[in-house]
Amino acid sequence: MALISDWTQLGDDVFYRKHEVYSMDWGGGINLADFMVASAPYGGPLALTRDESRFTKTHQTGKPLIFIFSSSGKKISSFKIDPSAVYFVDKKWTSGFLLTLGWSRGEDLVCVQEDGAVLLYDMFGNYQHTFNMGQEAKDTHIQSSQVFTSYRETGVAVLTKSNRIFMVNNIHEPKTRKYPDLPGGAVNCWCVVREERHSNVLVSQGRDLLLLNHIDERPQALYPQWNEPGGSVVEMAVSSNSRHIALLSDSGKLWIGSSDIRIKYCEYDAKSQVKPRQLAWCGTGAVVLLWEVTLEVVSVNGEATSYYLDSSSHLAQEADGVRVVGSTCHDLLQKVPQVVVDTLGIGSMAPGALLLDASKRFQERSTQANDCLDMIKDSMEEAVNQCLQAAQHQYQPQAQKMLLRAALFGKSFIPEMNPEPCKKTIFTLRVLNAVRDHRVGLPLTWSQMEHLTLPVLLDRLVHRRFFPLALEIANFLKIPETDGTSRILAHWACFKVLQPSQKSDEHIAKEINSKLGYTPGISYTDIANRADQAGRKQLAIKLIEYECRAKEQVLVLMRLGEDQTALRRALQSGDTDLIYTVLCRLRQKLSSGDFLMLIRNFPVAQALHMRSCQDLDTEQLRDILVQEDDFLGQGLLRVKEAYNSSRADTKLAALQGAAELFRRAKHETHLQMTEEQIKLYRWQIRLEENQQKPYTDKSLHDTIHHLLLDGQIKEAEKLRTEFKISEKRYWWLRVVAHAQAGHWDELAALAKNKKNPIGFEPFVEVCLKTGNKLEAQKYASRVKEENKVSCLIKCGLLEEATKIAHEQRSASSLAEVLAACGPQHQALQSRLQQLLSDPSLKS
């Protein structure tokens, strides 16, 4: 009986229950009738501020003081909004008086001012941002406003004193929309009706009920079916899912139906023409009217019941009920779920009720337990599920335990039953009981928890700074570290760095690292950035030392002005791209001199910078080389400049400068090569002047080759002598050049020279390359004996090759000739085969 003592029947098999959630921690010293109250959904915080409309206005310029409490009445914060405060909104300065309080889906407090400015604060009183409802709203001022929420967004709608409605559907991306103009006359009441893709506004004006849509040009008149038409709607409320609406007339008649006014559920006579303080929905099955100390609940079937309260209260509408916040206690009024009625109802014969009775009898050691079990042996699984679901909707731990014990008792008779539902129910109820504790103040129901989801609940605990509890829940439910422990610890660390402390920055950084370690998903970069934003630069520097990602660490150090440390970390990472990134930023940030002095302390960085300067900035490269007295490097740079120059005088001057630098560097090899290049370049200049042909920028080999091609043998001889070219190399050059140029007489004359250092094989090769076999045949017989057969074959002289091979008694040479024979050489092939059969041949 104790479990159902707070049940009130409202129709056939429909019950509502009102049970105390908290005894308010604020001690009962607050009279809510004197305050403007805003309650966040899902058991969220309460915002209170003095309701100036209930008091005589004075000329004092007091600041509105806003108090934020948890649902259990525990004070979270308090802060002041100065009515004369000036805010910068949309490039204009604005000010105004507080008109309405509301809460966003993310539990930010939304404050709407009379001039149309909307200010957002978090629950700790920290200012977030501001926007306004447009210039017209500011000029005409606002008479009333509403803060509303949808599945994903929070919006604000205002009614100006000129009877115009403006709306912002998303406070984080404010875009003001103007609704159709209302006809003249005072507005009795109005509300926002959210639909899937847009928002409508329902307005009561005089005896008319108008529907406004920002797409339509004019308001649309609606006609709800009253039993006694003619009254005016003075109060209205929309259900949490925006599908149902309640209208209260000035004669005390309550009309309940669909939000489009097309379907009427019922009409109820409240028998009072006094306007209630609040009208709200209790889930989707009933409407609640609140007077000073009287609460009347009207179901959609027209059934009603009343509750009497101890003090002035405030209604907080929820998706599955309504919270009644009073000066001394906080109650939850909701429809009793059907499964609870079936399981706990008096005289119920549902399987769950019989299983619960059997469990109680079993604990009492009574044999009557067997009788109950026999009645549900064919529906045991259904009985277990009913007990589990009934436990989910119980608020008291003792009732939960009783029903869970019954469910587990029944499950023992069906071993094959899936244990996950039991496990989930037990674990989730433990979490719900933990967050319902008055120290936390989150009175979530099972249905709210399912809709809110566990990740959002953890976010809300973190937002309230209940870090230990959030960690315990994450570990208890074995949530992956990236979604649980890591994320919670990261939020804790960000909160930690924002708090004033007497400890040193190094001690705080070590403390954070000892808690966080290197847990996957933890970003010390984010924590360091938060510390920097709070003006704690040294703490940010200490924290970023623990960052494992070199790139993130280096970028933060650069932003914090720790140039040398950033460069050192980049060098330690071995990431060339990262080093170049740091060097590029340092070069942009520092003067040229400071930059060069900085990288001088880091040889690897200096070397990489010098490499990049070779292609991008030779002047800075020269500055570095001069700074370091690197004569060899300067000389190599001058050589590169020489070859990049198109002017002869510039090139010659650069080479001469390079030679001098190599001399100072005492690098003999480079010096000798440069001096020879200068000498060759001067020769080439003279040849160009005499021959009127291009010779510069050619190598010594190519220069002589072109002279020989042009028949300038004497000039070629002079170059050979000047640069001491070997006889073999020069002869090769002459043979190739004469053959390419077709100077066969010159080639023949050269062949007559008795001091031939290269033999006649090159003569044959170059003639064959130019396709002149006749010339090649002239020299084929003069090659060395061991090469003679091969050369004769190449020249097509197979008979001569056969003769020489036979004379040499060489089987391999004869085989080589045989392989070169074609179909036209059948006679020769026969003779070669006979010769190869001679056993006296050498292998």
Side-chain angles (χ1 to χ4, degrees):
M1 290 295 295
L3 293 176
I4 63 173
S5 60
D6 57 354
W7 290 14
T8 302
Q9 189 167 0
L10 212 64
D12 295 336
D13 295 327
V14 177
F15 296 87
Y16 278 78
R17 61 185 177 187
K18 176 176 168 288
H19 60 273
E20 183 176 310
V21 177
Y22 298 115
S23 177
M24 300 303 283
D25 281 353
W26 56 41
I30 293 180
N31 182 10
L32 293 182
D34 297 335
F35 288 86
M36 183 191 305
V37 184
S39 56
Y42 298 99
L46 304 169
L48 279 70
T49 188
R50 179 185 170 95
D51 188 355
E52 299 295 338
S53 65
R54 298 180 60 86
F55 301 93
T56 304
K57 293 185 178 180
T58 65
H59 295 289
Q60 297 178 357
T61 57
K63 301 177 181 180
L65 181 60
I66 296 178
F67 298 93
I68 308 294
F69 296 94
S70 69
S71 290
S72 60
K74 182 179 179 181
K75 185 177 178 181
I76 297 175
S77 65
S78 61
F79 59 97
K80 293 181 179 181
I81 295 182
D82 189 348
S84 61
V86 180
Y87 300 92
F88 193 66
V89 182
D90 293 345
K91 302 181 180 180
K92 296 181 181 179
W93 295 100
T94 182
S95 63
F97 293 88
L98 183 62
L99 189 67
T100 304
L101 292 177
W103 290 94
S104 71
R105 292 197 64 83
E107 296 192 320
D108 285 332
L109 183 64
V110 183
C111 305
V112 185
Q113 297 189 148
E114 188 184 18
D115 63 343
V118 181
L119 295 80
L120 269 68
Y121 295 84
D122 67 13
M123 67 175 65
F124 297 98
N126 300 313
Y127 172 75
Q128 302 298 304
H129 71 93
T130 303
F131 65 92
N132 68 6
M133 300 299 295
Q135 188 62 39
E136 185 175 350
K138 178 182 177 181
D139 294 339
T140 58
H141 283 195
I142 297 170
Q143 60 174 307
S144 63
S145 60
Q146 292 184 17
V147 179
F148 58 92
T149 59
S150 64
Y151 179 70
R152 296 178 180 272
E153 301 167 345
T154 301
V156 175
V158 299
L159 173 66
T160 68
K161 292 183 178 179
S162 60
N163 276 4
R164 288 185 174 176
I165 291 178
F166 297 90
M167 186 181 297
V168 167
N169 281 314
N170 186 355
I171 59 175
H172 298 292
E173 297 178 1
K175 181 181 179 181
T176 305
R177 291 178 174 174
K178 179 183 176 183
Y179 280 67
D181 293 343
L182 293 168
V187 173
N188 302 326
C189 61
W190 62 285
C191 69
V192 177
V193 181
R194 290 302 303 263
E195 293 190 3
E196 185 176 353
R197 296 187 178 180
H198 59 277
S199 302
N200 298 330
V201 179
L202 197 61
V203 180
S204 171
Q205 193 174 34
R207 296 185 180 276
D208 297 326
L209 191 63
L210 305 174
L211 180 67
L212 281 68
N213 188 305
H214 76 279
I215 301 175
D216 299 332
E217 296 181 358
R218 296 180 180 180
Q220 175 187 351
L222 300 178
Y223 303 98
Q225 297 177 359
W226 295 91
N227 293 337
E228 297 179 5
S232 300
V233 176
V234 296
E235 192 69 33
M236 56 181 68
V238 182
S239 64
S240 298
N241 60 9
S242 295
R243 295 178 183 175
H244 316 288
I245 195 167
L247 308 174
L248 182 67
S249 70
D250 54 1
S251 60
K253 299 297 192 329
L254 180 66
W255 186 96
I256 304 175
S258 62
S259 58
D260 58 6
I261 315 298
R262 295 178 181 177
I263 303 174
K264 175 182 175 181
Y265 305 151
C266 73
E267 186 175 328
Y268 174 77
D269 187 359
K271 298 178 182 179
S272 174
Q273 295 185 0
V274 178
K275 182 180 176 181
R277 292 188 61 216
Q278 274 187 277
L279 181 66
W281 278 83
C282 180
T284 57
V287 177
V288 181
L289 298 91
L290 173 66
W291 283 274
E292 287 298 326
V293 290
T294 304
L295 194 70
E296 191 160 3
V297 183
V298 183
S299 74
V300 293
N301 297 321
E303 304 287 343
T305 187
S306 298
Y307 294 93
Y308 297 98
L309 310 176
D310 296 332
S311 60
S312 296
S313 301
H314 170 79
L315 301 181
Q317 185 171 300
E318 296 283 3
D320 61 342
V322 63
R323 291 185 287 128
V324 185
V325 183
S327 298
T328 58
C329 65
H330 185 161
D331 297 330
L332 176 63
L333 174 65
Q334 63 177 168
K335 179 182 177 181
V336 180
Q338 188 59 45
V339 68
V340 178
V341 175
D342 292 341
T343 306
L344 299 178
I346 297 176
S348 174
M349 296 299 290
L354 294 173
L355 177 59
L356 179 60
D357 191 29
S359 175
K360 291 179 180 178
R361 302 296 182 189
F362 177 76
Q363 293 172 48
E364 294 170 357
R365 307 285 184 176
S366 172
T367 58
Q368 293 180 0
N370 293 327
D371 298 334
C372 295
L373 290 174
D374 288 339
M375 297 173 68
I376 57 173
K377 61 182 179 180
D378 295 329
S379 56
M380 185 63 73
E381 186 169 348
E382 180 185 356
V384 171
N385 288 329
Q386 284 186 348
C387 288
L388 286 176
Q389 293 170 20
Q392 294 168 3
H393 297 290
Q394 293 302 310
Y395 207 88
Q396 299 301 325
Q398 291 302 323
Q400 296 168 5
K401 290 178 182 179
M402 179 186 69
L403 289 162
L404 288 172
R405 192 178 294 116
L408 294 174
F409 175 66
K411 184 183 177 300
S412 65
F413 294 99
I414 42 177
E416 69 279 3
M417 183 178 176
N418 184 6
E420 285 304 316
C422 292
K423 181 179 178 182
K424 178 185 176 182
T425 300
I426 294 171
F427 279 36
T428 306
L429 284 176
R430 286 184 179 179
V431 172
L432 284 173
N433 291 336
V435 300
R436 287 168 179 170
D437 187 275
H438 74 279
R439 292 169 294 183
V440 181
L442 270 173
L444 289 172
T445 64
W446 181 279
S447 300
Q448 293 170 10
M449 174 68 179
E450 285 188 322
H451 191 267
L452 195 64
T453 71
L454 182 61
V456 177
L457 174 60
L458 289 178
D459 286 341
R460 295 198 170 193
L461 290 174
V462 167
H463 188 52
R464 287 166 168 76
R465 302 170 184 172
F466 290 111
F467 302 109
L469 177 59
L471 281 173
E472 285 186 25
I473 292 175
N475 293 329
F476 176 67
L477 298 178
K478 298 180 180 179
I479 298 174
E481 286 189 340
T482 52
D483 298 328
T485 304
S486 298
R487 191 162 55 90
I488 296 167
L489 287 174
H491 282 289
W492 168 80
C494 291
F495 168 73
K496 181 77 174 176
V497 300
L498 298 177
Q499 302 308 302
S501 175
Q502 300 297 324
K503 300 177 182 178
S504 66
D505 292 333
E506 185 174 0
H507 186 276
I508 295 173
K510 287 182 178 179
E511 184 179 352
I512 291 174
N513 178 250
S514 66
K515 292 282 187 183
L516 272 59
Y518 293 97
T519 306
I522 293 293
S523 172
Y524 283 94
T525 298
D526 295 338
I527 304 169
N529 286 334
R530 188 67 63 88
D532 182 45
Q533 292 168 7
R536 306 185 70 175
K537 178 181 174 181
Q538 293 304 315
L539 176 57
I541 294 172
K542 297 293 183 184
L543 286 168
I544 202 62
E545 292 179 359
Y546 298 108
E547 178 58 65
C548 297
R549 296 170 297 173
K551 183 177 181 180
E552 299 298 329
Q553 185 184 49
V554 166
L555 293 178
V556 172
L557 287 169
M558 289 289 295
R559 188 170 51 76
L560 295 175
E562 297 296 307
D563 300 335
Q564 289 196 37
T565 307
L567 184 55
R568 190 177 296 111
R569 293 288 188 274
L571 291 168
Q572 290 172 354
S573 73
D575 187 340
T576 306
D577 292 337
L578 184 59
I579 299 171
Y580 275 128
T581 299
V582 176
L583 291 174
C584 182
R585 293 199 180 189
L586 288 174
R587 190 173 178 184
Q588 294 173 352
K589 179 180 178 181
L590 304 175
S591 65
S592 179
D594 292 341
F595 173 72
L596 294 178
M597 289 301 295
L598 174 61
I599 65 172
R600 189 178 187 183
N601 300 319
F602 303 94
V604 175
Q606 187 180 54
L608 288 173
H609 178 62
M610 290 172 66
R611 186 199 300 174
S612 67
C613 287
Q614 290 178 0
D615 299 322
L616 302 175
D617 193 344
T618 55
E619 288 303 317
Q620 184 152 106
L621 177 59
R622 190 194 315 280
D623 292 342
I624 298 173
L625 295 172
V626 170
Q627 175 182 280
E628 301 297 327
D629 291 335
D630 187 351
F631 299 117
L632 176 61
Q634 295 178 54
L636 294 173
L637 183 61
R638 294 299 296 272
V639 170
K640 182 177 179 181
E641 291 174 350
Y643 283 103
N644 289 334
S645 175
S646 58
R647 294 186 53 177
D649 55 345
T650 304
K651 182 178 293 187
L652 194 58
L655 288 172
Q656 290 172 340
E660 179 59 31
L661 289 166
F662 290 143
R663 185 177 290 107
R664 296 180 65 182
K666 298 181 180 179
H667 203 292
E668 296 299 328
T669 303
H670 283 39
L671 174 61
Q672 182 180 356
M673 291 172 63
T674 307
E675 288 178 341
E676 288 186 353
Q677 180 62 40
I678 293 171
K679 184 166 59 174
L680 175 61
Y681 194 65
R682 286 173 174 166
W683 268 87
Q684 290 172 337
I685 293 173
R686 183 179 62 79
L687 289 172
E688 282 191 352
E689 292 174 351
N690 295 336
Q691 307 296 330
Q692 299 298 313
K693 289 185 178 182
Y695 285 98
T696 56
D697 296 331
K698 289 183 172 60
S699 65
L700 176 61
H701 179 282
D702 289 344
T703 303
I704 295 176
H705 181 72
H706 279 79
L707 285 173
L708 293 171
L709 287 176
D710 295 337
Q712 301 295 325
I713 298 176
K714 291 184 178 180
E715 292 293 340
E717 287 283 352
K718 291 178 182 178
L719 271 177
R720 181 188 72 81
T721 305
E722 182 68 26
F723 290 95
K724 300 177 181 178
I725 296 176
S726 66
E727 285 289 335
K728 283 187 177 182
R729 184 181 177 189
Y730 181 65
W731 268 69
W732 259 106
L733 283 170
R734 285 197 63 179
V735 169
V736 172
H738 290 327
Q740 288 180 355
H743 300 161
W744 306 114
D745 294 339
E746 292 289 343
L747 187 62
L750 183 64
K752 293 177 181 179
N753 194 322
K754 295 182 180 180
K755 297 180 180 181
N756 183 348
I758 60 174
F760 290 95
E761 287 85 349
F763 287 77
V764 176
E765 289 180 13
V766 296
C767 290
L768 290 173
K769 277 186 178 180
T770 56
N772 196 332
K773 281 190 176 183
L774 292 176
E775 285 295 326
Q777 290 172 1
K778 295 179 181 178
Y779 309 107
S781 59
R782 301 173 66 182
V783 301
K784 295 178 180 178
E785 286 296 321
E786 60 268 22
N787 297 326
K788 192 171 288 186
V789 173
S790 297
C791 288
L792 290 170
I793 292 172
K794 291 177 181 178
C795 295
L797 302 175
L798 300 182
E799 292 286 351
E800 290 82 349
T802 303
K803 181 181 177 182
I804 298 298
H806 185 258
E807 291 176 354
Q808 294 177 350
R809 311 298 294 171
S810 172
S812 59
S813 297
L814 288 170
E816 186 179 354
V817 179
L818 180 60
C821 291
Q824 70 276 21
H825 303 108
Q826 293 182 0
L828 182 59
Q829 288 178 352
S830 300
R831 187 154 57 91
L832 285 168
Q833 290 173 353
Q834 291 177 357
L835 293 173
L836 284 169
S837 63
D838 187 350
S840 63
L841 293 176
K842 299 183 219 177
S843 59

